[in-house]
Amino acid sequence: MSLCPQHILQQHQLVRQPLWCAISVAVGNRNAATPARQQLGLARQHSRVLLPQHVCDIVLCQPGRGRGSSAVCPAAAAAAPMSDEPSDLSKVLANIRACLFAAWTFTLAIPLFIIMTLMALPVLAIDKVRRLAQHFVNNLWAIASTTPFYSVQIVGKENLPSPSTPAVYVANHQSFMDIYSLFHLQRPFKFISKTSNFLIPIVGWSMFLTGHIMLNRVDRRSQLKCLQTCIEMLSKGCSVLFFPEGTRSKDKVLGGFKKGAFSVAVKAGVPVVPITLIGTGNVMPSGRESQMYASPVKIVVHPPIQTAGKDADQVCAEARKAVASGLPRDLVGIGSVTDNM
């Protein structure tokens, strides 16, 4: 006998509209089943009417589990969302948009790099570590590059330490556009980048002039030297930005955090500022840097985490929890802590 999820729910007197909407999505699209499954679990725990497990199995279309058939009722199928896969036309437009962005940001970089080069010697003489003048040019370049292509909304800007306060900033890593977007915060931080990026004409050279930090990921000695450099910069009043996941997420899901950033913050005695990036993975998906979509970006700045009296593991756990709190539930992932950078 084929059972329609709607009939099963009516039979058990579970008629809450939000739950039915989640069930409909899950029936029509298995990829969307995770949020629906979570809502079903909450309903089974908190509803006055117990929803049996076999009903959840049938509603979520899990063949071979529960009793009855996994047939989909028409109402649920009609409510299912379309696939997230962009159309061929959208991909073509995204390719064109990415080419325009690359041309625009590179065109902007050339005169700004000339300005940075002319300023280099005076900046090294006056402000060798922080290099605020070079950071100002970086901010100008990033904001001018992105503004024609996507909007950036900053939430919690009041949680940012003053530009003169050293701190360790940590953010989730979804896209090549993360650094561009974080420059909208207008804080003079150094970020860590692999050595090969400093060889990129104009852009990489500008990174070198600004004093960003090189890292050879496969060399343990380079990692230790990088961490020591970060501690020294913090002690001299310069902030540092880390992506504690270590690499860009392929599916935008938050990964486990590596402990390096938090060891640095604890040893330097500076606060950690957790930041959630939302939407950068939609603008330029990881692994598809030849495509750029028109999608808004939101940056959520969480209250600083004080490190006094805490170890790196504690601070890491608090920071990941804060970053995860700004993400949709299906992008939170499973947390873990590792010793590497």
Side-chain angles (χ1 to χ4, degrees):
M1 176 181 178
S2 295
L3 298 177
C4 170
Q6 186 175 10
H7 297 158
I8 295 170
L9 292 175
Q10 289 175 347
Q11 176 183 348
H12 291 276
Q13 300 178 352
L14 185 62
V15 293
R16 295 181 180 180
Q17 183 64 27
L19 178 61
W20 171 241
C21 293
I23 292 170
S24 298
V25 170
V27 171
N29 184 356
R30 294 186 188 180
N31 292 331
T34 300
R37 197 185 318 278
Q38 292 165 347
Q39 292 190 42
L40 280 169
L42 291 173
R44 296 185 72 217
Q45 294 174 20
H46 301 296
S47 176
R48 294 181 180 178
V49 181
L50 181 65
L51 185 64
Q53 181 62 48
H54 73 273
V55 174
C56 294
D57 295 340
I58 294 171
V59 169
L60 290 175
C61 294
Q62 297 181 350
R65 295 185 59 186
R67 298 192 298 268
S69 167
S70 60
V72 179
C73 75
M82 298 299 290
S83 171
D84 291 335
E85 182 67 20
S87 66
D88 290 341
L89 177 59
S90 295
K91 291 179 181 178
V92 171
L93 294 176
N95 289 334
I96 295 172
R97 192 179 189 87
C99 290
L100 291 173
F101 173 78
W104 173 241
T105 191
F106 190 78
T107 300
L108 286 174
I110 294 173
L112 293 177
F113 173 71
I114 294 173
I115 294 173
M116 292 179 70
T117 303
L118 295 174
M119 293 193 306
L121 290 179
V123 167
L124 287 174
I126 300 171
D127 187 18
K128 183 177 180 180
V129 176
R130 299 184 69 196
R131 306 186 191 184
L132 296 180
Q134 310 283 35
H135 275 287
F136 175 79
V137 177
N138 281 190
N139 292 340
L140 180 63
W141 168 68
I143 293 172
S145 294
T146 56
T147 299
F149 293 88
Y150 64 89
S151 62
V152 176
Q153 176 192 7
I154 301 174
V155 178
K157 197 167 185 178
E158 67 277 4
N159 293 322
L160 285 170
S162 69
S164 60
T165 301
V168 170
Y169 295 85
V170 295
N172 57 312
H173 203 8
Q174 294 186 349
S175 169
F176 181 77
M177 302 309 300
D178 291 343
I179 286 290
Y180 277 92
S181 301
L182 288 169
F183 275 125
H184 284 254
L185 296 176
Q186 300 186 43
R187 286 298 183 270
F189 52 72
K190 310 292 186 186
F191 62 83
I192 298 168
S193 184
K194 59 184 180 181
T195 305
S196 59
N197 286 340
F198 287 83
L199 303 178
I200 300 172
I202 307 299
V203 175
W205 303 341
S206 298
M207 290 165 54
F208 176 79
L209 289 176
T210 310
H212 296 299
I213 305 165
M214 297 184 189
L215 171 66
N216 184 348
R217 292 179 180 174
V218 299
D219 185 348
R220 179 64 178 171
R221 288 177 298 178
S222 176
Q223 295 178 11
L224 294 175
K225 181 181 178 181
C226 177
L227 293 177
Q228 187 59 41
T229 300
C230 291
I231 294 173
E232 292 174 1
M233 286 188 168
L234 287 163
S235 68
K236 296 176 180 178
C238 183
S239 295
V240 181
L241 167 71
F242 285 84
F243 293 112
E245 294 167 277
T247 189
R248 293 192 293 270
S249 171
K250 297 294 184 183
D251 54 6
K252 296 179 286 187
V253 174
L254 184 66
F257 276 15
K258 301 179 188 298
K259 204 165 60 175
F262 310 100
S263 297
V264 166
V266 170
K267 290 177 182 178
V270 300
V272 171
V273 183
I275 297 170
T276 305
L277 289 166
I278 305 168
T280 53
N282 296 329
V283 173
M284 186 174 285
S286 178
R288 289 156 54 189
E289 282 72 25
S290 62
Q291 299 175 1
M292 187 177 193
Y293 296 88
S295 182
V297 167
K298 181 163 73 171
I299 302 175
V300 181
V301 183
H302 304 279
I305 298 171
Q306 301 303 320
T307 57
K310 299 176 183 176
D311 61 29
D313 288 322
Q314 289 176 291
V315 179
C316 180
E318 288 183 42
R320 191 185 185 282
K321 182 178 180 181
V323 172
S325 69
L327 290 169
R329 184 176 296 180
D330 59 328
L331 298 183
V332 170
I334 299 174
S336 63
V337 178
T338 57
D339 291 328
N340 297 327
M341 287 190 62

